[in-house]
Amino acid sequence: MKKKNKKAVALALSGTAIILIGSAMAYFTSVDNVTNRFIAGKLDITLTESNWKPENAVNVVPGDVIEKNPTITSNEDAECYLFMRVTVPCDSPEIEYDSGEKGALRPTDKSALPMYKFIVTENDTDSYDDTTTWNQNVHDCYTLVNAPVRKGNRLIYTYAYVDENTKLISVKKGETTEKPLFDKIKIWNFNEKYLPDEEYTSPSYDVTVEAFAIQSEYLSADAENIQEVWNKVKTER
């Protein structure tokens, strides 16, 4: 009787051991995650021409001077570099030189000549430049980024807002460019082109001013490399 009981106990212990081994193969698992929301900032700028009056640009004639003073104001917390781009219509005019002679203007491609001239009040001049693009007058806190770009019958001028060392200025929220790009525009003194009455219609010409901004943080190393920063502005558009 005693031997039989020992065998029963041994079987019971063996069964318990098997159960314990099976339980050891189960693993506890859990899954969790964290989502962080990042709110992207933005740049907000305002282009203003406080002296511009549309009625002054009606029935204009060569020689007219019109008030036009574009400035940029930054409205956001992020500091930024500023650029302005002006698109000017072109024509193929003739002018009368001081000698009284008349003739086609240089360069040979006369259609590249802008019809409007930018005027800085304290530095106004009516002289004509013998260059391929004709220089424009702008305030000294701006610099031409690259040579004017010809696109069809238009010339595109791009300017950067800079300090006295021709280094890009980082503009803070609420700040406005120290001076406008220019104060006025003048219609070049072209000779009139005579057309029969039935062919004549009063044309209209647009001068477009655009403002651009790019964050200056992380770009400070490029503040002197204006072309490189402008390339980034163009890439982002």
Side-chain angles (χ1 to χ4, degrees), residues 133-183:
T133 57
W134 282 23
N135 295 327
Q136 297 281 17
N137 290 322
V138 297
H139 280 284
D140 54 11
C141 52
Y142 299 89
T143 188
L144 196 62
V145 175
N146 45 34
V149 177
R150 171 81 180 281
K151 183 174 287 188
N153 63 342
R154 298 172 296 160
L155 268 178
I156 302 173
Y157 296 83
T158 303
Y159 297 92
Y161 182 53
V162 297
D163 61 18
E164 63 276 8
N165 298 314
T166 318
K167 183 178 179 181
L168 289 166
I169 297 175
S170 185
V171 178
K172 300 178 181 179
K173 179 179 180 180
E175 291 184 344
T176 300
T177 49
E178 177 186 0
K179 297 177 182 179
L181 180 61
F182 44 80
D183 302 309

Side-chain angles (χ1 to χ4, degrees), residues 9 66 80 115 133 140-141 167 172 185 207 219 221-222 224 230:
V9 171
I66 304 166
C80 55
M115 294 180 63
T133 57
D140 54 11
C141 52
K167 183 178 179 181
K172 300 178 181 179
I185 58 173
V207 175
L219 290 177
D222 295 324
E224 295 180 4
W230 173 244

Side-chain angles (χ1 to χ4, degrees), residues 64-77:
D64 279 354
V65 175
I66 304 166
E67 297 277 352
K68 187 176 177 69
N69 57 331
T71 59
I72 306 175
T73 301
S74 174
N75 304 316
E76 285 296 327
D77 292 331

Side-chain angles (χ1 to χ4, degrees), residues 40-186:
K42 63 185 178 69
L43 292 179
D44 181 15
I45 57 173
T46 302
L47 177 64
T48 305
E49 294 180 325
S50 59
N51 293 337
W52 169 254
K53 295 180 181 179
E55 60 270 23
N56 292 340
V58 178
N59 296 324
V60 295
V61 296
D64 279 354
V65 175
I66 304 166
E67 297 277 352
K68 187 176 177 69
N69 57 331
T71 59
I72 306 175
T73 301
S74 174
N75 304 316
E76 285 296 327
D77 292 331
E79 295 185 25
C80 55
Y81 296 138
L82 301 176
F83 296 83
M84 264 194 263
R85 188 167 67 184
V86 188
T87 302
V88 181
C90 303
D91 201 357
S92 53
E94 292 184 349
I95 65 167
E96 185 172 324
Y97 292 99
D98 294 338
S99 62
E101 299 175 358
K102 294 182 180 180
L105 279 176
R106 293 184 297 273
T108 303
D109 185 4
K110 300 182 293 298
S111 60
L113 300 177
M115 294 180 63
Y116 293 87
K117 166 188 172 184
F118 309 155
I119 293 179
V120 172
T121 302
E122 63 266 24
N123 187 32
D124 185 23
T125 174
D126 279 333
S127 63
Y128 295 94
D129 299 319
D130 287 330
T131 68
T132 58
T133 57
W134 282 23
N135 295 327
Q136 297 281 17
N137 290 322
V138 297
H139 280 284
D140 54 11
C141 52
Y142 299 89
T143 188
L144 196 62
V145 175
N146 45 34
V149 177
R150 171 81 180 281
K151 183 174 287 188
N153 63 342
R154 298 172 296 160
L155 268 178
I156 302 173
Y157 296 83
T158 303
Y159 297 92
Y161 182 53
V162 297
D163 61 18
E164 63 276 8
N165 298 314
T166 318
K167 183 178 179 181
L168 289 166
I169 297 175
S170 185
V171 178
K172 300 178 181 179
K173 179 179 180 180
E175 291 184 344
T176 300
T177 49
E178 177 186 0
K179 297 177 182 179
L181 180 61
F182 44 80
D183 302 309
K184 306 172 183 178
I185 58 173
K186 180 177 183 177

